[in-house]
Amino acid sequence: AKREEKAVSWIQCDECEGWRHFSPAMDPGKVDPAQRWTCAMAKRQCRRFNDVELFMNEWTGFVADDRVTAMHKFAVDGNEFDVHEVFWSAQALGGSESVQGRWKDLANDMMLRRTGEPCSATKGRNFGYLNKLYSRWQLQAFESSRADIKVPRKYRKPHPLLLTLP
């Protein structure tokens, strides 16, 4: 079983080689990385993934660079977001082409979904770094290569409050 180096939130099944996100029902402290681990040990079926797991399995397979995929989190105003949230909010705003130059809108969409509040007006709150991460994470190329990417229903439109922001 492969695990992430930092706080364990993902583990790879030795049978189907899919990545599983630890849910509250899965105790990462009980997993020995030297031992074989399978989806069945978490009372899950191989190859039956939730939306986040589907995205992460497709994205990590596309990028195929552990140095990039290991750094799949990003913080805005002290809130940590995962690469799938960045990608899905971009899709809600019209896709990769539409978010170019609209990084604050992207950060606001993520913040509104998470906290119900937009980003702080204070400078240096990380949303300006989103363009570099979007490129590093190869999200535009990933989007272009996958015409059939599943986006959860709640991400098919921008957060309603985003349209009310100045």
Side-chain angles (χ1 to χ4, degrees):
K2 283 189 195 174
R3 295 195 307 178
E4 286 188 345
E5 295 297 321
K6 296 179 183 172
V8 177
S9 61
W10 292 92
I11 189 165
Q12 188 175 31
C13 174
D14 289 318
E15 226 168 81
C16 72
E17 297 184 353
W19 285 91
R20 288 288 182 191
H21 187 262
F22 277 106
S23 67
M26 296 168 64
D27 181 1
K30 293 182 180 176
V31 175
D32 178 355
Q35 298 293 317
R36 180 175 164 78
W37 188 90
T38 66
C39 294
M41 295 168 86
K43 298 178 176 50
R44 303 280 303 272
Q45 290 182 331
C46 280
R47 296 176 192 84
R48 304 265 314 203
F49 303 108
N50 65 34
D51 290 339
V52 173
E53 292 167 340
L54 279 171
F55 175 86
M56 291 302 286
N57 280 304
E58 286 189 31
W59 177 70
T60 55
F62 174 80
V63 173
D65 183 341
D66 290 344
R67 294 169 300 172
V68 172
T69 58
M71 310 268 296
H72 59 82
K73 296 196 181 292
F74 175 74
V76 176
D77 281 354
N79 291 281
E80 192 171 75
F81 295 93
D82 212 320
V83 63
H84 69 275
E85 294 170 288
V86 174
F87 183 79
W88 289 342
S89 278
Q91 297 309 296
L93 296 175
S96 295
E97 293 292 327
S98 296
V99 298
Q100 300 302 316
R102 295 179 57 205
W103 303 110
K104 187 170 185 179
D105 287 343
L106 180 60
N108 277 329
D109 189 73
M110 294 184 317
M111 285 291 291
L112 287 165
R113 290 173 192 281
R114 173 75 57 81
T115 68
E117 299 289 327
C119 295
S120 165
T122 309
K123 290 189 180 213
R125 293 308 225 177
N126 279 355
F127 61 81
Y129 189 61
L130 271 170
N131 64 334
K132 290 183 174 109
L133 279 177
Y134 208 84
S135 176
R136 178 186 168 104
W137 288 339
Q138 303 173 36
L139 292 175
Q140 189 164 2
F142 176 69
E143 177 185 329
S144 297
S145 73
R146 305 279 197 285
D148 61 341
I149 293 174
K150 183 178 180 187
V151 176
R153 177 173 280 125
K154 71 180 184 177
Y155 282 96
R156 292 189 184 149
K157 293 181 181 177
H159 189 282
L161 292 178
L162 185 66
L163 304 174
T164 66
L165 297 177

